[in-house]
Amino acid sequence: MTSSTVLCVVGTRPEAIKMAPIVHALRRRRGLEVRLLLTGQHRDLLDQALASFGLRGDIDLDLMRENQSLSGLVARILDGIDPLLERSPPALVLAQGDTSTVMATAIACFHRRIPFGHVEAGLRTGDLQHPFPEEFNRIVAGRAATLNFAPTEGARRALLREGVAPETVHVTGNTVIDALLEVARGRPALPPGLPRQGRLVLMTLHRRESFGPPAEQVLSAVRRLCAAFPDLHVLYPVHPNPNVRDLAHAVLGGHPQVTLTEPLGYPALVAAMQRCTLVLTDSGGLQEEAPALGKPVLVLRDVTERPEAVELGVARLVGTDPDRILAEAGTLLTSPAAYAAMAKGVSPYGDGRASERIATLVAAAIRPHRATRRPAAPHAALAQPPMPLPLADGAPAQ
């Protein structure tokens, strides 16, 4: 690597989706060498997501193991990344989000005194157990970072409350909106086999704190929801973790109103968001993406590190209690007024230009002696919501 090398590290599917626009933005900058390092924390899902954006890794540690422990994974990531940083230190390392890959990368950079940039910095619930282990991971990454790219003003304030130096924090928006808008404009194709008529619910469930009884409660609520609304169809791309996959197929497998699929490629997921009526999820990404497409989100968690969507009224925390899920979903499916109040077609997470802001800030940090175009007033730019996109066939409740 050279003194102008930016090393982008990704380990999971969400990281790949959110890092892809940054990689492309950086590669458009003259004088920067951009390398993409994969830890393989999610093997097949990672490769699938990168392919959606025409990317492949330059370095692949291929660390995925069956039923891997968190400590074992972190140890392997540190052992894999540290020799690379020692042999050929880059000018700056970027990682996104709150996974074990991000936390371990931040520690490795700190040990080697290599500048580290944290994308999507400052998300907090204030509870180390929810989400677990992500809340801890992002705290570590934020404290080790020399550049913190906060998606919102609230995230910036969270970092400042923790004593992070203000000059390291930049509000940029969230790059997932960049990725979403790019893919959605292309009118991606729906997954095969879905009914063309009726209302569609898109559902995901994969977080560790959802394993066991909470997941059982959610899946029970889905069965009850289908019984209450015979015109409803549920699309559930099932995470490959056995704790999720086995239970999903045991409870919902063979149900005539439910389609269980393998994880979708990102274009197909965006198409499903455009087609659906509402979203049930414990995913952070869908909390950010679906509101920009005018889709109400019921968050299957008790707390969220993305409170802006809840405050804006486009997402609602419903937890995992079946009665609460059924009541909230039922209201949206029967009340046009309640639906319209949530289906605003805006997102508080950016305007589709976050990756360009980040690329500008990275270039300035690496080449401070050169004149570099300054980012255009990030705070002012983010005050303007993204343009609503066509909502395809996801009609409001009738």
Side-chain angles (χ1 to χ4, degrees), residues 50-72:
L50 288 172
S52 298
F53 294 93
L55 294 174
R56 58 184 300 177
D58 300 298
I59 307 165
D60 193 341
L61 301 181
D62 196 21
L63 299 177
M64 179 67 183
R65 302 290 184 273
E66 285 291 329
N67 293 316
Q68 58 191 351
S69 71
L70 289 173
S71 295

Side-chain angles (χ1 to χ4, degrees), residues 63-370:
L63 299 177
M64 179 67 183
R65 302 290 184 273
E66 285 291 329
N67 293 316
Q68 58 191 351
S69 71
L70 289 173
S71 295
L73 172 61
V74 170
R76 287 195 299 277
I77 296 170
L78 285 167
D79 283 344
I81 289 179
D82 186 65
L84 295 173
L85 300 181
E86 180 184 24
R87 286 196 304 270
S88 186
L92 185 137
V93 177
L94 286 178
Q96 185 281 328
D98 52 22
T99 66
S100 296
T101 288
V102 176
M103 188 263 286
T105 299
I107 292 173
C109 290
F110 178 75
H111 288 167
R112 292 289 172 188
R113 298 181 181 272
I114 292 172
F116 171 71
H118 187 203
V119 178
E120 199 181 70
L123 277 63
R124 299 288 187 270
T125 65
D127 182 347
L128 283 177
Q129 300 302 315
H130 295 92
F132 176 87
E134 289 87 354
E135 182 79 355
F136 176 81
N137 291 345
R138 55 192 172 220
I139 290 172
V140 172
R143 295 310 300 266
T146 50
L147 287 171
N148 281 285
F149 302 114
T152 65
E153 176 62 24
R156 184 187 76 88
R157 289 195 299 266
L159 290 165
L160 299 184
R161 284 195 298 269
E162 294 175 1
V164 174
E167 64 270 19
T168 72
V169 183
H170 306 272
V171 179
T172 60
N174 197 309
T175 60
V176 76
I177 303 299
D178 302 25
L180 172 72
L181 298 182
E182 177 184 345
V183 172
R185 289 188 190 101
R187 293 291 186 175
L190 278 169
L194 289 180
R196 299 291 171 171
Q197 303 299 321
R199 293 180 288 184
L200 181 70
V201 171
L202 174 62
M203 170 183 164
T204 69
L205 186 71
H206 72 279
R207 289 194 175 275
R208 287 177 182 268
E209 63 263 31
S210 300
F211 292 175
E216 293 174 8
Q217 293 184 120
V218 170
L219 298 178
S220 168
V222 171
R223 291 190 68 95
R224 291 171 59 187
L225 191 63
C226 289
F229 297 92
D231 71 318
L232 204 65
H233 196 86
V234 177
L235 171 62
Y236 180 9
V238 183
H239 195 279
N241 188 307
N243 292 289
V244 177
R245 182 189 61 217
D246 295 349
L247 182 62
H249 283 274
V251 176
L252 297 177
H255 194 292
Q257 290 174 250
V258 179
T259 296
L260 301 178
T261 72
E262 296 296 313
L264 300 175
Y266 192 59
L269 180 65
V270 172
M273 278 191 276
Q274 290 179 300
R275 163 69 173 85
C276 77
T277 300
L278 65 92
V279 175
L280 298 175
T281 188
D282 64 355
S283 162
L286 284 175
Q287 292 177 58
E288 297 157 344
E289 295 158 308
L293 299 180
K295 308 302 174 170
V297 180
L298 298 182
V299 183
L300 304 171
R301 296 169 58 188
D302 295 320
V303 294
T304 181
E305 61 278 28
R306 294 166 172 87
E308 295 88 356
V310 176
E311 293 164 0
L312 189 61
V314 295
R316 186 168 298 152
L317 289 169
V318 299
T320 59
D321 177 72
D323 293 335
R324 175 79 186 278
I325 295 169
L326 187 63
E328 296 282 2
T331 297
L332 289 172
L333 293 168
T334 56
S335 169
Y339 189 94
M342 292 189 71
K344 298 177 181 179
V346 296
S347 171
Y349 300 110
D351 56 5
R353 299 195 296 272
S355 56
E356 285 297 332
R357 293 187 184 97
I358 291 170
T360 296
L361 290 162
V362 167
I366 291 176
R367 301 194 302 267
H369 58 286
R370 294 189 183 182

